[in-house]
Amino acid sequence: MPIFPKISLRVEVENYLKEGFMNKEIVSALGKQEAERKFETLLNNLSHPPSFTTVRVNSHLASVQHVKNLLFDELQKQFNGLSVPILQHPDLQDVLLIPVIGPRKNINKKQCEAIVGAQCGNAVLRGAHVYVPGIVSASKFMKAGDVVSVYSDIKGKCKKGAKEFDGTKVFLGNGISENLPSAVVTHVLDPQPGERILDLCAAPGGKTTHIAALMHDQGEVIALDKISNKVKKIKQNALLLGLNSIRAFCFDGTKALKLDRIKDTEGEPPFLPESFDRILLDAPCSGMGQRPNMACSWTLKEVTSYQPLQRKLFTVAVKLLKPGGVLVYSTCTITLAENEEQVAWALTEFPCLQLQPQEPQIGGKGMMGAGLSFEQLKQLQRFDPSVVPLQDMDIESLRDASVDMIRLANKDCIGFFIAKFVKCKSTQEKEPSK
């Protein structure tokens, strides 16, 4: 059951989301009352953390069992000898799942308070520490060694340096991760040794390194991102993980298609048409599937600004993909416009594309409302935070054999979307006959 208030959104953004989740197709299939209940459940669940922390093992450097043993030993130290189960996912062999203990309801609030921003508060609920830059306000009498209650300023009203704050705040508690769907998407791409793969919007690079590891570091993985510091981080991670197949470039993905065939860029962007075996487009998006997320201050204009950019990137990806190649499109958001509507647009805009079933299929089917057929919706994966009730995870729950941990982990995760396409024929125009 919820212990935090539902995600705080601007009225126009909440109405926009509600319109999508209560479109005619959904209301006709579920009924108005059930559609409303499901939408309210979604808003409640988005403000709560998922039930599991996901760890993806770089099997290029260490075995899954070795990492599992290290994590088990570390957790035993942290929990004073308690054996916290670490589960290996049956469909994603390089993924380990650690149950999140909590939320704990009966924590006594302390007189000393620290107010943190909404984003910092979200990180705290996933196990992060609070450092000085994340603190907006603290009690004037707080000193080192005090037990402090941490609150999240979900509306951003607390002034920096204030000694007291009586505005809207949510108690987090007294006082480290990749998410499961992000690991699924790379398995859906299914990169093979020797292939040339493009990660079109690569930062922060977790999927890039996962691709290289699944290819056994044999082939070429090109990673593009517009921000130089993020590209530098991708290169550092590749070096740290011993992955030599990755080449990262600071480059705008919308300009990655080479229009001039004369100039030779020696494998650097932009690239010739139809030069990649597989392409991952983990598109920039509104990010409204992230959890926990107690507040989003974005305007409706900001939330709806991503669809045109996604379509520009998608168009470039289709042209860069070889005939017979695979394109995987993914987002970490819940909006219909950035997910199923994009699939419907792509199938109309690019007759050369066919939607493909995904393996592994862990998420649910796509959401109605974009005019896709039932069979097409079944080929999509939508990870919907509203599909399971919120539940507390305590020590006894971990020992309860009736709790289906894997099923819970598959369902109780962030909002995420995956679509997989194959390019059936070339998009190259025929050369004029001489």
Side-chain angles (χ1 to χ4, degrees), residues 2 53 203 322 351 372 377 382:
T53 292
K322 293 179 181 179
L372 298 171
L377 293 176
R382 175 179 271 264

Side-chain angles (χ1 to χ4, degrees), residues 194-212:
E195 291 183 330
R196 192 178 193 218
I197 313 287
L198 174 62
D199 190 349
L200 193 54
C201 302
K207 297 180 186 67
T208 307
T209 57
H210 195 191
I211 290 169

Side-chain angles (χ1 to χ4, degrees), residues 127-335:
H129 296 292
V130 176
Y131 295 96
V132 171
I135 298 175
V136 180
S137 164
S139 298
K140 59 184 177 182
F141 46 79
M142 186 173 71
K143 63 182 186 298
D146 286 344
V147 178
V148 177
S149 288
V150 180
Y151 293 81
S152 178
D153 171 24
I154 62 172
K155 294 192 175 181
K157 300 293 186 182
C158 183
K159 293 182 179 180
K160 185 74 174 179
K163 300 304 179 185
E164 293 182 357
F165 178 60
D166 294 324
T168 305
K169 57 187 179 182
V170 177
F171 177 58
L172 304 178
N174 298 331
I176 293 178
S177 148
E178 183 176 335
N179 57 71
L180 180 64
S182 290
V184 174
V185 72
T186 319
H187 283 277
V188 169
L189 184 67
D190 193 26
Q192 299 298 311
E195 291 183 330
R196 192 178 193 218
I197 313 287
L198 174 62
D199 190 349
L200 193 54
C201 302
K207 297 180 186 67
T208 307
T209 57
H210 195 191
I211 290 169
L214 290 180
M215 294 167 64
H216 307 296
D217 206 27
Q218 299 172 24
E220 185 179 25
V221 184
I222 302 291
L224 303 184
D225 199 86
K226 290 199 306 184
I227 301 175
S228 59
N229 285 342
K230 292 183 178 181
V231 173
K232 189 181 297 184
K233 186 68 174 177
I234 294 171
K235 292 179 178 179
Q236 290 172 347
N237 287 340
L239 185 64
L240 182 67
L241 297 172
L243 296 168
N244 300 310
S245 59
I246 294 172
R247 300 178 67 207
F249 300 95
C250 183
F251 202 83
D252 184 347
T254 64
K255 300 174 182 177
L257 179 68
K258 182 188 287 187
L259 301 176
D260 180 4
R261 288 176 168 272
I262 299 173
K263 185 179 178 183
D264 183 13
T265 53
E266 298 182 351
E268 296 183 358
F271 304 106
L272 289 173
E274 302 188 341
S275 56
F276 289 93
D277 299 288
R278 297 174 199 260
I279 297 177
L280 173 61
L281 174 52
D282 186 44
C285 70
S286 58
M288 298 198 72
Q290 295 293 354
R291 297 173 63 197
N293 189 2
M294 289 189 179
C296 177
S297 61
W298 283 19
T299 64
L300 181 58
K301 183 178 180 180
E302 290 172 310
V303 171
T304 57
S305 66
Y306 286 91
Q307 192 186 71
L309 172 60
Q310 292 161 354
R311 292 186 178 185
K312 284 183 182 179
L313 290 163
F314 197 101
T315 299
V316 169
V318 173
K319 292 179 179 179
L320 288 173
L321 188 65
K322 293 179 181 179
V326 170
L327 168 60
V328 172
Y329 172 82
S330 63
T331 74
C332 59
T333 196
I334 56 175
T335 70

